[in-house]
Amino acid sequence: MRLVVVGNGMAGSRLVSEVRARDPHLPITVVGAETCQPYNRVLLSNVLAGSTRPEQVRLLDPSWYAAHRVEAVFGSAVTCLDRDTRAVVTEDGRRVPYDVLVLATGSDAIVPPIPGVERAIPFRTLGDCERILESAGSSRRAVVIGGGLLGVEAARGLAGRGLPVTLLHLAGHLMERQLDVEAGEVLGETLAGLGVDIRTGVTAQAVQADGVLLADGDLVEGDLVVLACGVRPVTGLAADAGLEVRRGIVVDDEMRTDDPSIFAIGECAEHDGTVYGLVAPAWEQAGVAADVITGGKALYRGSRMVTRLKARSVELAAMGETQLTEEHAEVVRFTHRARGTYRKLVIRDGRLVGAIVLGESDAVGTLTQLFDRGGPLPGDRAGLLFPGLSATAHVADSPTLMPDAAKVCQCNNVTKGQIRACWEAGARDVAGIAAATRATTGCGTCRDAVEGIVGWLCEQEGVSA
């Protein structure tokens, strides 16, 4: 059986490594449109901010493919999927036959159809990031169009480099998909304090040489314009081949399309009506597909979404149904706008179905676990928002009180128990834990927790971390 994977981004490269870990002999060919090795797209905002170097976001070294007998075809996009002969054709004319095909084509940045938009730089790929950084070095002022997660991270990253930034957003508040109105306003006030000028409820009419013209006639000055207007699943290849496509490529619980020999995973896939835009679901899907392809049994039942903002001096986590009000759920809320603090719990049938934590807090670990497990909540709701004030609160951020079943790394589904097992097997530092479990290699926000667990384990045994 010959496996062909179209797409070598975060989903495709994970699928290849997962399959190879299960079957060392299965012939694998991976075809990627980008010329460079796969990289962690989630960490591009860190590259933009200067806290991470481009070489630090690489996922698989080129030597990995040869060492694991994987044929890698990079720099030539697939232009045709021939289901009759079971082959894919690349733009340079190469024909690659398959028995099983996995589509991991990801998403493209949405570029608004406005005059002069070619002057702007989308923020999607490593190449985009490098272009933005090059332009930032000679720019006097930047404008970011789009106030979703990526736009906020881009604006904060550029402001952190000392560049005056204006963030433009069509909706009435930032990150409206993840945050309610008040949380979006508090986030905007926090960013304003860090040097980002926020303008919500505005429409970009055109990109000009001296800035962005708004629909109301105002000109927002800037010689660097960055687009963060969202993404769109890349489904053209599947649609042209006659596969079922809605918003994404439709798949079942085994990640199969309506052609049993073709799978789809990651941002291009639509499962049960949902297209996921975060790395953790893509990696979960890759694991399920790898199991099925190598003869195992696995089902994907959807993912519980936890969004973490990666921006210096801005702590934000949002999960689940954050928009529900008191009419439909029990809502517990605390706001201290002067300190940039906003905390909200959304509870239904005694279980946490949504939460927002903005500002420094030791509650995030506990809330994430309660949301992920869907278990019953303690009666002391205030103790969940302020763990340090409650003697009965279950402080998950303390390694001593954290159960082994607690999930530490959301991106890679790694528990405290797995970290403990790796430590007992000889992995005595974060690098060793990461190599064995992949913890910390996704969005990176769990690094402090992993360091804390390793330090605690070393302290218990009286050894040096």
Side-chain angles (χ1 to χ4, degrees):
M1 185 178 73
R2 182 183 182 92
L3 169 65
V4 173
V5 181
V6 177
N8 196 40
M10 297 186 73
S13 60
R14 174 59 70 94
L15 184 281
V16 169
S17 63
E18 293 276 5
V19 169
R20 184 51 81 227
R22 291 162 173 75
D23 187 332
H25 306 296
L26 178 67
I28 302 174
T29 299
V30 57
V31 185
E34 291 186 85
T35 56
C36 61
Q37 67 196 74
Y39 55 88
N40 188 334
R41 198 184 305 277
V42 177
L43 297 181
L44 290 183
S45 57
N46 292 357
V47 175
L48 196 62
S51 59
T52 301
R53 298 188 305 277
E55 61 270 20
Q56 292 178 302
V57 303
R58 306 295 187 185
L59 289 173
L60 294 178
D61 187 88
S63 63
W64 184 91
Y65 297 93
H68 291 83
R69 298 180 305 285
V70 173
E71 181 185 11
V73 180
F74 296 156
S76 186
V78 172
T79 57
C80 177
L81 164 53
D82 187 341
R83 292 169 59 191
D84 293 331
T85 63
R86 289 196 176 185
V88 297
V89 181
T90 65
E91 60 186 358
D92 61 1
R94 180 190 295 253
R95 190 174 186 87
V96 184
Y98 69 84
D99 295 298
V100 175
L101 177 67
V102 178
L103 300 176
T105 48
S107 297
D108 280 338
I110 294 175
V111 177
I114 58 177
V117 74
E118 66 278 359
R119 294 188 178 98
I121 305 175
F123 183 32
R124 177 63 179 164
T125 68
L126 182 58
D128 295 336
C129 189
E130 291 169 343
R131 287 175 60 205
I132 293 169
L133 289 174
E134 182 180 359
S135 180
S138 58
S139 297
R140 293 174 291 103
R141 186 172 188 89
V143 180
V144 177
I145 302 176
L149 177 67
L150 199 59
V152 169
E153 291 181 348
R156 175 62 185 115
L158 290 170
R161 289 178 172 271
L163 194 64
V165 180
T166 301
L167 177 59
L168 307 177
H169 192 44
L170 179 63
H173 67 276
L174 299 177
M175 293 181 61
E176 75 281 358
R177 292 187 178 180
Q178 294 88 11
L179 305 181
D180 60 18
V181 174
E182 188 171 10
E185 292 174 348
V186 175
L187 174 60
E189 293 164 3
T190 300
L191 291 171
L194 296 170
V196 180
D197 180 27
I198 308 293
R199 296 192 62 175
T200 57
V202 298
T203 302
Q205 187 82 5
V207 179
Q208 301 180 167
D210 53 352
V212 177
L213 180 66
L214 302 181
D216 62 7
D218 282 356
L219 177 67
V220 180
E221 295 185 356
D223 41 4
L224 166 60
V225 179
V226 176
L227 299 176
C229 304
V231 296
R232 182 181 292 114
V234 176
T235 60
L237 192 66
D240 291 345
L243 298 175
E244 184 180 3
V245 173
R246 295 174 193 158
R247 183 169 167 234
I249 304 168
V250 177
V251 296
D252 62 15
D253 290 350
E254 290 187 329
M255 305 310 300
R256 293 183 195 265
T257 67
D258 51 341
D259 182 329
S261 65
I262 302 177
F263 295 70
I265 60 171
E267 292 181 337
C268 69
E270 178 179 328
H271 175 266
D272 197 22
T274 300
V275 176
Y276 295 94
L278 297 177
V279 63
W283 285 352
E284 287 181 49
Q285 293 170 3
V288 169
D291 278 340
V292 175
I293 289 168
T294 56
K297 292 183 178 181
L299 296 175
Y300 179 69
R301 299 300 194 186
S303 297
R304 298 177 70 80
M305 304 287 283
V306 179
T307 300
R308 298 293 294 264
L309 180 67
K310 298 171 300 305
R312 192 172 60 199
S313 304
V314 185
E315 299 289 332
L316 171 63
M319 59 201 81
E321 302 177 69
T322 59
Q323 311 285 355
L324 294 182
T325 65
E326 285 83 352
E327 296 180 17
H328 305 100
E330 175 189 350
V331 177
V332 183
R333 185 186 291 107
F334 172 82
T335 310
H336 189 176
R337 295 181 80 132
R339 295 189 59 125
T341 298
Y342 182 82
R343 302 177 191 179
K344 178 182 181 179
L345 307 179
V346 181
I347 301 164
R348 193 165 51 200
D349 298 327
R351 287 167 168 75
L352 187 68
V353 297
I356 300 171
V357 182
L358 175 58
E360 264 190 64
S361 173
D362 54 1
V364 174
T366 297
L367 295 178
T368 301
Q369 291 170 33
L370 290 170
F371 170 73
D372 188 63
R373 293 200 301 264
L377 299 183
D380 181 10
R381 308 301 203 219
L384 294 174
L385 289 180
F386 303 96
L389 301 180
S390 172
T392 61
H394 186 69
V395 187
D397 291 328
S398 166
T400 307
L401 300 178
M402 186 186 294
D404 276 355
K407 191 182 297 184
V408 178
C409 177
Q410 295 291 323
C411 296
N412 290 288
N413 198 29
V414 181
T415 65
K416 176 195 171 185
Q418 290 172 301
I419 294 173
R420 182 202 292 270
C422 288
W423 187 90
E424 291 173 347
R428 298 303 169 94
D429 56 20
V430 174
I433 297 295
T437 66
R438 294 195 177 106
T440 75
T441 65
C443 70
T445 55
C446 65
R447 185 176 183 86
D448 288 347
V450 175
E451 287 178 345
I453 293 171
V454 170
W456 169 68
L457 289 168
C458 290
E459 183 180 333
Q460 300 301 303
E461 293 296 323
V463 298
S464 298

